[in-house]
Amino acid sequence: MPSLDIIIPAFNAAHCLDRTLRAITDQSIPPNLSFSTIIVNNGSTDDTAAVIDHWGGKSVRRVNYREVRSRSAARNAGVSASTADYVLLLDADCRLAHRGCLNIASEAI
């Protein structure tokens, strides 16, 4: 079974991250795809960590950076933490376009 990790770098994203994670959990997940979400808390000083913790245990993992680094460095940290066959890069303020995005990705894989 192929696996997919969604990598999300997050810097002071408490205002939008919950909506992004809700859109991910609302996806129609194909039975032949194993997936999880890795959020890289990139030195946030707002409630980003609390939002991530709220979603923890729902296939959401957190990678912490104590100090702010570039978005690329945060993405790379997420990819390094991934053990999946494939990764999907998503920003904290973006949402998957519709409920079938992971189905489409699974078919492409």
Side-chain angles (χ1 to χ4, degrees):
M1 170 182 333
S3 57
L4 172 77
D5 280 341
I6 299 173
I7 310 294
I8 303 174
F11 172 71
N12 289 343
H15 66 284
C16 59
L17 187 57
D18 188 67
R19 195 172 12 177
T20 300
L21 292 171
R22 187 174 320 282
I24 291 170
T25 60
D26 286 346
Q27 286 289 301
S28 173
I29 309 300
N32 65 334
L33 180 68
S34 170
F35 97 98
S36 67
T37 303
I38 298 173
I39 304 168
V40 181
N41 187 5
N42 195 11
S44 297
T45 57
D46 67 353
D47 290 331
T48 297
V51 172
I52 299 168
D53 289 344
H54 169 76
W55 286 91
K58 298 173 184 166
S59 298
V60 174
R61 294 183 286 155
R62 175 171 53 164
V63 173
N64 285 313
Y65 271 167
R66 300 251 183 253
E67 56 191 56
V68 179
R69 300 189 185 185
S70 70
R71 185 177 303 172
S72 295
R75 282 188 179 126
N76 289 339
V79 171
S80 292
S82 173
T83 58
D85 301 317
Y86 301 91
V87 296
L88 175 88
L89 302 175
L90 189 67
D91 285 333
D93 62 347
C94 295
R95 290 181 297 283
L96 298 173
H98 57 80
R99 290 193 45 161
C101 287
L102 292 181
N103 271 322
I104 294 167
S106 177
E107 290 172 10
I109 291 171

